[in-house]
Amino acid sequence: RVDREGWPLVPEFIMWPSRLQRLHASILDASDNLVDGLQKTLDQPERSLQEVLGLTGMRKLGLDLVEHVQIHHRTEDKHILPRFLGRFPDLRRAISLIENDHHFLDNAMDVAEITFDALAQPGVQKNHVASALASANSLDRLLKRHTHDEENILIPAALSGE
């Protein structure tokens, strides 16, 4: 079994595993940008042009992030995880944990989606931005843990060449 630092040295890494890591990196980058942008928006004077522009951009980024993760998880649940189970039946318990993570993340994204969408409502106040920031922080922590765990389960199996 090759540890995480050695994955790029395995010839098979260039195939699916590197694509998974790039996809996860883009999700985590968007999540980091959302948290940072919401914090900066929260720091702007109320009803300033910067706040209005920040609210518009952060709402879109938040909703886009949720949609991107939902599509990614649907693809994993319908195509990738069943293939891994067929090829690596000994991963059944670990893949079950990934699927449970997906359900937990779905619930967190449902809450986040509501708080992000509220940023477009008339009369948005700082408490709405703070609520969106709290949702974004929570989602960010979950995504970071989930993507790391998922890679630690799936990539070694994919690189095993079995």
Side-chain angles (χ1 to χ4, degrees):
R1 180 177 161 122
V2 179
D3 63 358
R4 185 176 273 268
E5 293 77 31
W7 291 349
L9 304 175
V10 178
E12 291 81 10
F13 181 77
I14 197 70
M15 298 178 335
W16 179 80
S18 67
R19 287 195 305 271
L20 178 68
Q21 277 200 319
R22 283 193 309 272
L23 179 58
H24 283 171
S26 73
I27 287 169
L28 296 179
D29 285 347
S31 184
D32 286 341
N33 289 336
L34 178 63
V35 168
D36 185 54
L38 282 166
Q39 183 60 60
K40 287 178 179 169
T41 301
L42 190 60
D43 294 341
Q44 295 301 317
E46 198 151 20
R47 308 221 191 301
S48 67
L49 178 60
Q50 293 86 353
E51 183 194 47
V52 171
L53 293 174
L55 290 172
T56 302
M58 293 304 100
R59 176 185 175 271
K60 177 162 179 28
L61 180 57
L63 295 175
D64 286 351
L65 172 63
V66 167
E67 181 181 26
H68 188 149
V69 173
Q70 288 170 335
I71 291 168
H72 173 61
H73 285 170
R74 272 196 304 271
T75 301
E76 285 181 339
D77 292 341
K78 289 183 180 181
H79 303 288
I80 294 169
L81 297 179
R83 286 184 187 157
F84 268 84
L85 274 176
R87 192 165 168 212
F88 306 101
D90 56 316
L91 289 180
R92 180 167 306 283
R93 188 173 180 296
I95 288 176
S96 177
L97 293 173
I98 292 172
E99 291 170 333
N100 286 338
D101 266 6
H102 286 182
H103 294 300
F104 191 75
L105 274 161
D106 284 344
N107 292 332
M109 287 187 294
D110 288 345
V111 170
E113 196 168 26
I114 291 166
T115 64
F116 301 152
D117 202 37
L119 298 175
Q121 302 304 315
V124 171
Q125 297 178 348
K126 291 294 183 183
N127 64 321
H128 296 108
V129 181
S131 178
L133 178 58
S135 290
N137 272 314
S138 175
L139 189 57
D140 186 62
R141 283 189 301 275
L142 291 170
L143 286 170
K144 285 178 176 157
R145 182 189 52 78
H146 170 70
T147 56
H148 189 269
D149 291 349
E150 187 174 270
E151 289 173 6
N152 281 344
I153 292 167
L154 300 180
I155 291 177
L159 296 179
S160 72
E162 295 176 4

